[in-house]
Amino acid sequence: MKKLFFYSVLLLACIACSDSDEQTEAQNLGSSTLDNPDDNQSSDNSQDNYANIDFSNWKVTLPVDENNNGSPDEYQPSTLINGGYRTNASILPFMYDDVDDQSIVFYTYPEVSTTNSSYSRTELRELINPSNSKENWTLEEGGVMEGRLNLVDISEDNNSNNQYHKTIVMQIHGIISQSDMDTHGFTSNNGPPLIKIRWINGFIWSYKKSLVDPTTSGDDLLDVTSATWSDESTNMGYVGFEPFDFKITASSGKLELQLNNLTPLIYEDDSLAKWPFENYFKAGNYIGTTDVNAFSYVKYYQLNINH
């Protein structure tokens, strides 16, 4: 009888342990991964768990200045490739894997901005030569960037007519060539962004630089201010908080933008024919506000560039 009682107690204890383990597992599965990058690290290091992104020609800019040099922190391709970003404690709060859907999360908030901007970013910058950011490409040389991405979460905007804050997810950015720098003695090589792809209240908007005065020519084209180059905006369609595909094809005097399977938006004009700058691609999460407590999460599943 005592043996029977003992075995009954032992059986009940095992069942209780099993129930406790199942509850703990259910709680873990129900927790959010967006705010816990450490939870996104898989014990299975198979590349099948990760986004399809080769960082060989990308550096990343973060919204913080941990080294106190007065500029946002940047990490070169050598730090990012071969999963290097996964072991970098400074990068992980802002760029990390979500192995549940094979994506990379780009998280940002208003903090430290670059010299020519008021806004912060967690954003990739193309380097066609990983060791020399002064080497870039012309429209004549052309290039293609395509990605699959998703704006997952963004703060509400209580200071404008928009429901949410806005963020830039892709760009072609202009840069003054080294030859023009040498010729004119410019102190900065910063050029205007030729194309900005911006998420606004669930819609994807294209902002393309066009000449204010179409007759502008020669060295006057190198003026980077809004007095010479202004934005031409186009609403390309609604994506909400769902994944979408986007492709930018740049060539001599022409830009073609493709959102999902919608009719491409094509620019082909004198402003593009006269565009005097070299270029580089950008992709990520460039939030357009300085509001306190603002934030944005953008996921990338795929990102490729070709020249």
Coordinates of all heavy atoms in Angstrom, one line a residue, residues 204-283:
I204 N 3.2 54.4 -50.0 CA 4.6 54.6 -50.5 C 4.7 55.8 -51.4 O 4.0 55.8 -52.4 CB 5.1 53.3 -51.2 CG1 5.1 52.1 -50.2 CG2 6.5 53.5 -51.7 CD1 6.0 52.3 -49.0
W205 N 5.5 56.7 -51.0 CA 5.6 58.0 -51.8 C 7.0 58.0 -52.4 O 8.0 57.7 -51.7 CB 5.4 59.2 -50.9 CG 4.0 59.5 -50.6 CD1 3.2 58.9 -49.7 CD2 3.1 60.5 -51.3 NE1 1.9 59.4 -49.7 CE2 1.9 60.4 -50.7 CE3 3.4 61.4 -52.3 CZ2 0.8 61.2 -51.0 CZ3 2.3 62.2 -52.6 CH2 1.1 62.1 -52.0
S206 N 7.1 58.5 -53.6 CA 8.4 58.7 -54.3 C 8.7 60.2 -54.3 O 7.8 61.0 -54.7 CB 8.4 58.2 -55.7 OG 9.5 58.7 -56.4
Y207 N 9.9 60.6 -53.9 CA 10.3 62.0 -53.9 C 11.5 62.1 -54.8 O 12.6 61.5 -54.5 CB 10.6 62.6 -52.5 CG 9.4 62.8 -51.7 CD1 8.8 61.7 -51.1 CD2 8.9 64.1 -51.5 CE1 7.7 61.9 -50.3 CE2 7.8 64.3 -50.7 CZ 7.2 63.2 -50.1 OH 6.1 63.4 -49.3
K208 N 11.4 62.7 -56.0 CA 12.5 62.8 -57.0 C 12.9 64.2 -57.2 O 12.1 65.1 -57.3 CB 12.0 62.2 -58.3 CG 13.0 62.1 -59.4 CD 12.6 63.2 -60.4 CE 13.5 63.2 -61.6 NZ 13.3 64.3 -62.5
K209 N 14.2 64.4 -57.2 CA 14.8 65.8 -57.4 C 14.6 66.2 -58.8 O 15.0 65.5 -59.8 CB 16.2 65.8 -57.0 CG 16.5 65.9 -55.5 CD 16.0 67.2 -54.9 CE 16.3 67.4 -53.4 NZ 15.5 66.6 -52.5
S210 N 14.1 67.4 -59.0 CA 14.0 68.0 -60.3 C 14.5 69.5 -60.3 O 14.4 70.1 -59.2 CB 12.5 68.0 -60.8 OG 12.1 66.7 -61.0
L211 N 14.9 70.0 -61.4 CA 15.4 71.4 -61.4 C 14.3 72.4 -61.3 O 13.2 72.2 -61.9 CB 16.1 71.6 -62.8 CG 17.5 71.0 -62.9 CD1 17.9 71.0 -64.4 CD2 18.5 71.7 -62.1
V212 N 14.5 73.3 -60.4 CA 13.6 74.4 -60.3 C 13.5 75.2 -61.6 O 12.4 75.6 -62.0 CB 14.0 75.4 -59.1 CG1 13.1 76.6 -59.0 CG2 14.0 74.6 -57.8
D213 N 14.6 75.5 -62.2 CA 14.7 76.2 -63.5 C 15.3 75.2 -64.5 O 16.5 74.9 -64.4 CB 15.6 77.4 -63.3 CG 15.7 78.1 -64.7 OD1 15.2 77.7 -65.7 OD2 16.5 79.2 -64.7
P214 N 14.5 74.7 -65.4 CA 15.0 73.6 -66.3 C 16.1 74.1 -67.2 O 16.8 73.3 -67.8 CB 13.7 73.3 -67.2 CG 12.6 73.8 -66.4 CD 13.1 74.9 -65.6
T215 N 16.4 75.4 -67.3 CA 17.4 75.9 -68.2 C 18.8 76.0 -67.4 O 19.8 76.3 -68.0 CB 17.1 77.4 -68.7 OG1 17.1 78.3 -67.6 CG2 15.8 77.4 -69.4
T216 N 18.8 75.6 -66.1 CA 20.1 75.6 -65.4 C 21.1 74.7 -66.1 O 20.7 73.6 -66.5 CB 19.8 75.2 -63.9 OG1 18.8 76.0 -63.3 CG2 21.1 75.2 -63.1
S217 N 22.3 75.1 -66.1 CA 23.3 74.3 -66.8 C 24.7 74.6 -66.2 O 24.9 75.5 -65.3 CB 23.3 74.6 -68.3 OG 23.7 76.0 -68.5
G218 N 25.7 73.8 -66.6 CA 27.1 74.0 -66.2 C 27.3 73.8 -64.8 O 26.7 73.0 -64.1
D219 N 28.2 74.6 -64.2 CA 28.6 74.5 -62.8 C 27.4 74.9 -61.9 O 27.4 74.4 -60.7 CB 29.8 75.4 -62.5 CG 31.1 74.9 -63.2 OD1 31.1 73.7 -63.6 OD2 32.0 75.7 -63.3
D220 N 26.4 75.6 -62.4 CA 25.3 76.0 -61.5 C 24.5 74.7 -61.1 O 23.8 74.7 -60.1 CB 24.4 76.9 -62.3 CG 25.0 78.3 -62.5 OD1 25.9 78.6 -61.7 OD2 24.5 79.0 -63.4
L221 N 24.6 73.6 -61.9 CA 23.9 72.4 -61.5 C 24.5 71.8 -60.2 O 23.8 71.0 -59.6 CB 24.1 71.4 -62.7 CG 23.4 71.7 -64.0 CD1 23.9 70.8 -65.1 CD2 21.9 71.7 -63.8
L222 N 25.7 72.2 -59.8 CA 26.3 71.6 -58.6 C 25.8 72.2 -57.4 O 26.2 71.8 -56.3 CB 27.8 71.7 -58.7 CG 28.5 70.8 -59.8 CD1 29.9 71.2 -60.0 CD2 28.3 69.3 -59.4
D223 N 25.0 73.2 -57.5 CA 24.3 73.8 -56.3 C 23.4 72.8 -55.6 O 22.5 72.3 -56.3 CB 23.6 75.1 -56.6 CG 22.8 75.6 -55.4 OD1 23.3 75.6 -54.3 OD2 21.6 76.1 -55.6
V224 N 23.6 72.4 -54.4 CA 22.9 71.3 -53.8 C 21.6 71.8 -53.0 O 20.9 71.0 -52.5 CB 23.8 70.5 -52.8 CG1 25.0 70.0 -53.5 CG2 24.2 71.4 -51.6
T225 N 21.3 73.1 -53.0 CA 20.2 73.6 -52.2 C 18.9 73.5 -53.0 O 18.8 73.2 -54.2 CB 20.5 75.1 -51.9 OG1 20.3 75.9 -53.1 CG2 21.9 75.3 -51.3
S226 N 17.8 73.7 -52.2 CA 16.5 73.6 -52.8 C 16.2 74.8 -53.7 O 15.2 74.8 -54.4 CB 15.5 73.7 -51.6 OG 15.6 74.8 -50.9
A227 N 17.1 75.8 -53.8 CA 16.9 76.8 -54.8 C 17.2 76.3 -56.2 O 16.6 76.9 -57.2 CB 17.9 78.0 -54.5
T228 N 17.9 75.2 -56.3 CA 18.2 74.6 -57.6 C 17.5 73.3 -57.8 O 17.0 73.0 -58.9 CB 19.7 74.4 -57.8 OG1 20.4 75.7 -57.7 CG2 20.1 73.8 -59.2
W229 N 17.4 72.5 -56.8 CA 16.8 71.2 -56.9 C 15.7 71.0 -55.9 O 15.9 71.2 -54.7 CB 17.9 70.1 -56.6 CG 19.0 70.0 -57.6 CD1 20.2 70.6 -57.5 CD2 19.0 69.4 -58.9 NE1 21.0 70.4 -58.6 CE2 20.3 69.6 -59.5 CE3 18.0 68.7 -59.6 CZ2 20.6 69.1 -60.7 CZ3 18.4 68.2 -60.8 CH2 19.6 68.4 -61.4
S230 N 14.5 70.8 -56.4 CA 13.3 70.6 -55.5 C 12.7 69.2 -55.7 O 13.0 68.5 -56.7 CB 12.3 71.7 -55.8 OG 11.7 71.5 -57.1
D231 N 11.9 68.8 -54.7 CA 11.3 67.5 -54.7 C 10.0 67.5 -55.5 O 9.1 68.3 -55.4 CB 10.9 67.0 -53.3 CG 12.2 66.5 -52.6 OD1 13.0 65.9 -53.3 OD2 12.2 66.6 -51.4
E232 N 9.9 66.4 -56.4 CA 8.6 66.1 -57.1 C 8.1 64.9 -56.5 O 8.7 63.8 -56.5 CB 9.0 65.9 -58.6 CG 7.8 65.4 -59.4 CD 8.3 65.1 -60.9 OE1 9.4 65.6 -61.3 OE2 7.6 64.4 -61.5
S233 N 6.9 64.9 -55.9 CA 6.4 63.8 -55.1 C 5.3 63.1 -55.9 O 4.4 63.7 -56.6 CB 5.9 64.2 -53.7 OG 4.8 65.1 -53.9
T234 N 5.2 61.7 -55.7 CA 4.2 60.9 -56.3 C 3.8 59.8 -55.3 O 4.6 59.1 -54.8 CB 4.7 60.2 -57.6 OG1 5.2 61.2 -58.5 CG2 3.6 59.4 -58.3
N235 N 2.5 59.6 -55.1 CA 1.9 58.5 -54.3 C 1.9 57.3 -55.2 O 1.2 57.2 -56.2 CB 0.5 58.9 -53.8 CG 0.0 57.9 -52.8 OD1 0.4 56.7 -52.8 ND2 -1.0 58.3 -52.1
M236 N 2.7 56.2 -54.8 CA 2.8 55.0 -55.6 C 1.8 53.9 -55.2 O 1.6 53.0 -55.9 CB 4.2 54.5 -55.6 CG 5.2 55.5 -56.2 SD 6.8 54.7 -56.3 CE 6.5 53.3 -57.5
G237 N 1.2 54.0 -54.0 CA 0.2 53.0 -53.7 C 0.3 52.7 -52.2 O 1.2 53.1 -51.5
Y238 N -0.7 51.9 -51.7 CA -0.9 51.6 -50.3 C -0.3 50.2 -50.0 O -0.5 49.2 -50.7 CB -2.4 51.6 -50.0 CG -2.7 51.4 -48.5 CD1 -2.5 52.4 -47.6 CD2 -3.1 50.1 -48.0 CE1 -2.7 52.2 -46.2 CE2 -3.3 50.0 -46.7 CZ -3.1 51.0 -45.8 OH -3.4 50.8 -44.4
V239 N 0.5 50.1 -48.9 CA 1.0 48.9 -48.5 C 0.7 48.6 -47.0 O 0.7 47.5 -46.5 CB 2.5 48.8 -48.6 CG1 2.9 48.9 -50.1 CG2 3.3 49.9 -47.8
G240 N 0.3 49.6 -46.3 CA -0.1 49.5 -44.9 C 1.1 49.0 -44.1 O 2.2 49.5 -44.2
F241 N 0.8 47.9 -43.3 CA 1.9 47.3 -42.5 C 2.2 45.9 -43.0 O 2.7 45.0 -42.2 CB 1.5 47.2 -41.0 CG 1.4 48.6 -40.3 CD1 0.2 49.3 -40.3 CD2 2.5 49.2 -39.7 CE1 0.1 50.6 -39.7 CE2 2.4 50.4 -39.1 CZ 1.2 51.1 -39.1
E242 N 2.0 45.7 -44.3 CA 2.2 44.4 -44.9 C 3.5 44.4 -45.7 O 4.0 45.5 -46.1 CB 1.1 44.0 -45.8 CG -0.3 43.9 -45.2 CD -0.3 42.8 -44.1 OE1 0.4 41.7 -44.4 OE2 -0.9 43.0 -43.1
P243 N 4.2 43.3 -45.9 CA 5.4 43.2 -46.7 C 5.1 43.6 -48.1 O 4.1 43.4 -48.6 CB 5.8 41.7 -46.6 CG 5.2 41.2 -45.4 CD 3.9 42.0 -45.2
F244 N 6.1 44.2 -48.7 CA 6.0 44.6 -50.1 C 7.4 44.6 -50.8 O 8.4 44.6 -50.2 CB 5.4 46.1 -50.3 CG 6.3 47.2 -49.6 CD1 7.2 47.9 -50.4 CD2 6.1 47.5 -48.3 CE1 8.0 48.9 -49.8 CE2 6.9 48.5 -47.7 CZ 7.8 49.2 -48.5
D245 N 7.3 44.5 -52.1 CA 8.5 44.5 -53.0 C 8.7 45.8 -53.6 O 7.8 46.5 -54.1 CB 8.4 43.4 -54.1 CG 8.3 42.0 -53.5 OD1 9.1 41.6 -52.7 OD2 7.3 41.3 -53.9
F246 N 10.0 46.2 -53.7 CA 10.3 47.5 -54.3 C 11.6 47.4 -55.1 O 12.6 46.8 -54.6 CB 10.4 48.7 -53.3 CG 10.1 50.0 -53.9 CD1 8.9 50.5 -54.0 CD2 11.2 50.7 -54.5 CE1 8.6 51.8 -54.6 CE2 10.9 52.0 -55.1 CZ 9.6 52.5 -55.1
K247 N 11.6 48.0 -56.3 CA 12.8 47.9 -57.2 C 13.0 49.3 -57.8 O 12.1 50.0 -58.2 CB 12.5 46.9 -58.3 CG 13.7 46.7 -59.2 CD 13.4 45.6 -60.3 CE 14.5 45.4 -61.2 NZ 14.2 44.3 -62.2
I248 N 14.3 49.7 -57.7 CA 14.7 51.0 -58.4 C 15.7 50.6 -59.5 O 16.7 50.0 -59.2 CB 15.4 51.9 -57.4 CG1 14.4 52.3 -56.2 CG2 15.9 53.2 -58.0 CD1 15.0 53.1 -55.1
T249 N 15.5 51.1 -60.7 CA 16.4 50.9 -61.8 C 16.8 52.2 -62.3 O 16.0 53.0 -62.7 CB 15.7 50.1 -62.9 OG1 15.3 48.8 -62.4 CG2 16.7 49.8 -64.0
A250 N 18.1 52.5 -62.2 CA 18.7 53.8 -62.6 C 19.5 53.6 -63.8 O 20.3 52.7 -63.9 CB 19.5 54.4 -61.5
S251 N 19.3 54.5 -64.8 CA 20.2 54.5 -66.0 C 20.3 55.9 -66.5 O 19.7 56.8 -66.0 CB 19.5 53.5 -67.1 OG 18.2 54.0 -67.4
S252 N 21.0 56.0 -67.6 CA 21.3 57.4 -68.2 C 20.0 58.1 -68.5 O 19.2 57.7 -69.4 CB 22.1 57.3 -69.4 OG 22.5 58.5 -69.9
G253 N 19.7 59.2 -67.7 CA 18.5 60.0 -68.0 C 17.2 59.4 -67.7 O 16.1 59.9 -68.1
K254 N 17.2 58.3 -66.9 CA 16.0 57.5 -66.7 C 16.0 56.8 -65.3 O 17.0 56.3 -64.9 CB 15.7 56.5 -67.8 CG 14.4 55.7 -67.7 CD 14.3 54.8 -68.8 CE 13.0 54.0 -68.8 NZ 12.8 53.0 -69.9
L255 N 14.8 56.9 -64.6 CA 14.6 56.1 -63.4 C 13.3 55.3 -63.5 O 12.3 55.9 -64.0 CB 14.5 57.0 -62.2 CG 15.8 57.7 -61.7 CD1 15.5 58.8 -60.6 CD2 16.8 56.7 -61.2
E256 N 13.3 54.1 -63.1 CA 12.1 53.3 -63.1 C 11.9 52.7 -61.7 O 12.8 52.0 -61.2 CB 12.2 52.1 -64.1 CG 10.9 51.3 -64.2 CD 10.9 50.3 -65.3 OE1 11.5 50.6 -66.4 OE2 10.4 49.2 -65.1
L257 N 10.7 53.0 -61.1 CA 10.4 52.5 -59.8 C 9.3 51.5 -59.9 O 8.2 51.8 -60.5 CB 10.0 53.7 -58.9 CG 11.0 54.9 -58.9 CD1 10.5 56.0 -57.9 CD2 12.4 54.5 -58.6
Q258 N 9.4 50.4 -59.2 CA 8.4 49.3 -59.3 C 8.0 49.0 -57.9 O 8.8 48.5 -57.1 CB 9.0 48.1 -60.0 CG 8.0 46.9 -60.0 CD 7.0 47.1 -61.1 OE1 7.3 47.3 -62.3 NE2 5.7 46.9 -60.8
L259 N 6.7 49.2 -57.5 CA 6.1 48.7 -56.3 C 5.2 47.5 -56.5 O 4.3 47.6 -57.3 CB 5.2 49.8 -55.6 CG 4.4 49.5 -54.4 CD1 5.3 49.0 -53.3 CD2 3.5 50.6 -54.0
N260 N 5.6 46.4 -55.9 CA 4.9 45.1 -56.1 C 4.7 44.9 -57.6 O 5.6 45.0 -58.4 CB 3.6 45.1 -55.4 CG 3.8 45.1 -53.9 OD1 4.8 44.5 -53.4 ND2 2.9 45.7 -53.1
N261 N 3.4 44.6 -58.0 CA 3.2 44.3 -59.4 C 2.4 45.5 -60.1 O 1.8 45.3 -61.2 CB 2.3 43.0 -59.6 CG 3.1 41.8 -59.2 OD1 4.3 41.7 -59.5 ND2 2.5 40.9 -58.5
L262 N 2.5 46.6 -59.5 CA 1.8 47.8 -60.0 C 2.5 48.3 -61.2 O 3.7 48.0 -61.4 CB 1.6 48.9 -58.9 CG 0.9 48.5 -57.7 CD1 0.9 49.6 -56.7 CD2 -0.6 48.0 -58.0
T263 N 1.9 49.2 -62.0 CA 2.5 49.8 -63.1 C 3.7 50.6 -62.7 O 3.6 51.4 -61.7 CB 1.5 50.8 -63.8 OG1 0.4 50.0 -64.3 CG2 2.1 51.4 -65.1
P264 N 4.9 50.5 -63.3 CA 6.1 51.2 -62.8 C 5.9 52.7 -63.0 O 5.2 53.2 -63.9 CB 7.2 50.7 -63.8 CG 6.6 49.4 -64.3 CD 5.2 49.5 -64.4
L265 N 6.5 53.4 -62.1 CA 6.6 54.9 -62.2 C 8.0 55.2 -62.9 O 9.0 54.8 -62.4 CB 6.6 55.5 -60.8 CG 6.9 57.0 -60.7 CD1 5.9 57.8 -61.5 CD2 6.9 57.4 -59.2
I266 N 7.9 55.9 -64.0 CA 9.1 56.1 -64.8 C 9.3 57.6 -64.9 O 8.4 58.4 -65.3 CB 8.9 55.5 -66.2 CG1 8.8 54.0 -66.2 CG2 10.1 55.9 -67.1 CD1 8.5 53.3 -67.5
Y267 N 10.5 58.0 -64.6 CA 11.0 59.4 -64.8 C 12.0 59.4 -65.9 O 12.9 58.6 -65.9 CB 11.7 59.9 -63.5 CG 10.8 60.0 -62.3 CD1 11.0 59.0 -61.3 CD2 9.9 61.0 -62.0 CE1 10.3 59.0 -60.1 CE2 9.2 61.0 -60.9 CZ 9.4 60.0 -59.9 OH 8.6 60.1 -58.7
E268 N 11.8 60.3 -66.9 CA 12.7 60.5 -68.0 C 12.6 61.9 -68.4 O 11.7 62.3 -69.2 CB 12.4 59.5 -69.1 CG 13.5 59.3 -70.1 CD 13.3 58.1 -71.0 OE1 12.1 57.5 -71.0 OE2 14.2 57.7 -71.7
D269 N 13.5 62.8 -68.0 CA 13.4 64.2 -68.2 C 14.7 64.9 -68.3 O 15.8 64.3 -68.1 CB 12.5 64.8 -67.1 CG 13.0 64.5 -65.7 OD1 14.2 64.4 -65.5 OD2 12.1 64.4 -64.8
D270 N 14.7 66.2 -68.5 CA 15.9 67.0 -68.6 C 16.7 67.0 -67.3 O 17.9 67.1 -67.3 CB 15.6 68.4 -69.1 CG 15.2 68.5 -70.6 OD1 15.5 67.5 -71.3 OD2 14.6 69.4 -71.0
S271 N 16.0 67.0 -66.2 CA 16.6 67.1 -64.9 C 17.5 65.9 -64.7 O 18.7 66.0 -64.2 CB 15.6 67.2 -63.8 OG 14.9 68.4 -63.8
L272 N 17.0 64.7 -65.1 CA 17.9 63.5 -65.0 C 19.0 63.5 -66.0 O 20.1 63.1 -65.7 CB 17.0 62.2 -65.3 CG 16.1 61.8 -64.1 CD1 15.1 60.7 -64.5 CD2 16.9 61.4 -62.9
A273 N 18.7 64.0 -67.2 CA 19.8 64.1 -68.2 C 20.9 65.1 -67.8 O 22.1 64.9 -68.1 CB 19.2 64.6 -69.5
K274 N 20.6 66.0 -66.9 CA 21.6 67.0 -66.5 C 22.1 66.7 -65.1 O 23.0 67.4 -64.6 CB 20.9 68.4 -66.4 CG 20.6 69.0 -67.8 CD 20.0 70.4 -67.6 CE 19.7 71.1 -68.9 NZ 19.2 72.4 -68.8
W275 N 21.6 65.6 -64.4 CA 22.1 65.3 -63.1 C 23.6 65.2 -63.0 O 24.2 64.4 -63.6 CB 21.4 64.0 -62.7 CG 21.7 63.5 -61.2 CD1 22.5 62.5 -60.8 CD2 21.1 64.1 -60.0 NE1 22.5 62.4 -59.5 CE2 21.6 63.3 -59.0 CE3 20.2 65.2 -59.8 CZ2 21.3 63.6 -57.6 CZ3 19.9 65.4 -58.5 CH2 20.4 64.7 -57.4
P276 N 24.2 66.1 -62.2 CA 25.7 66.2 -62.3 C 26.4 65.4 -61.2 O 27.7 65.4 -61.2 CB 25.9 67.7 -62.0 CG 24.8 68.0 -61.0 CD 23.6 67.2 -61.4
F277 N 25.7 64.7 -60.4 CA 26.3 64.0 -59.2 C 26.5 62.6 -59.5 O 25.8 61.9 -60.3 CB 25.4 64.2 -58.0 CG 25.0 65.6 -57.7 CD1 23.8 66.1 -58.1 CD2 25.9 66.5 -57.1 CE1 23.4 67.5 -57.8 CE2 25.6 67.8 -56.8 CZ 24.4 68.3 -57.2
E278 N 27.5 62.0 -58.7 CA 27.6 60.6 -58.6 C 26.5 60.1 -57.6 O 25.9 60.9 -56.9 CB 29.0 60.2 -58.2 CG 30.0 60.4 -59.4 CD 31.4 60.0 -59.0 OE1 31.7 59.6 -57.9 OE2 32.2 59.9 -60.0
N279 N 26.4 58.8 -57.4 CA 25.3 58.3 -56.6 C 25.7 57.0 -55.8 O 26.7 56.4 -56.1 CB 24.1 57.9 -57.5 CG 23.8 58.9 -58.5 OD1 23.1 59.9 -58.2 ND2 24.3 58.8 -59.7
Y280 N 24.9 56.8 -54.7 CA 25.0 55.5 -54.0 C 23.6 55.2 -53.5 O 22.7 56.1 -53.3 CB 26.0 55.6 -52.9 CG 25.8 56.7 -51.9 CD1 25.0 56.7 -50.8 CD2 26.6 57.9 -52.1 CE1 24.8 57.7 -49.9 CE2 26.4 59.0 -51.2 CZ 25.6 58.9 -50.1 OH 25.4 59.9 -49.3
F281 N 23.3 53.9 -53.3 CA 22.0 53.4 -52.8 C 22.0 53.5 -51.3 O 23.1 53.3 -50.6 CB 21.8 52.0 -53.3 CG 21.4 51.8 -54.7 CD1 22.1 51.0 -55.6 CD2 20.2 52.5 -55.2 CE1 21.8 50.9 -56.9 CE2 19.9 52.3 -56.5 CZ 20.6 51.5 -57.4
K282 N 20.8 53.6 -50.7 CA 20.7 53.5 -49.3 C 19.4 52.8 -49.0 O 18.4 52.8 -49.8 CB 20.6 54.9 -48.6 CG 21.8 55.8 -48.9 CD 21.8 57.1 -48.0 CE 22.4 56.7 -46.7 NZ 22.5 57.9 -45.8
A283 N 19.4 52.0 -47.9 CA 18.2 51.3 -47.5 C 18.1 51.1 -46.0 O 19.2 50.9 -45.3 CB 18.2 49.9 -48.2

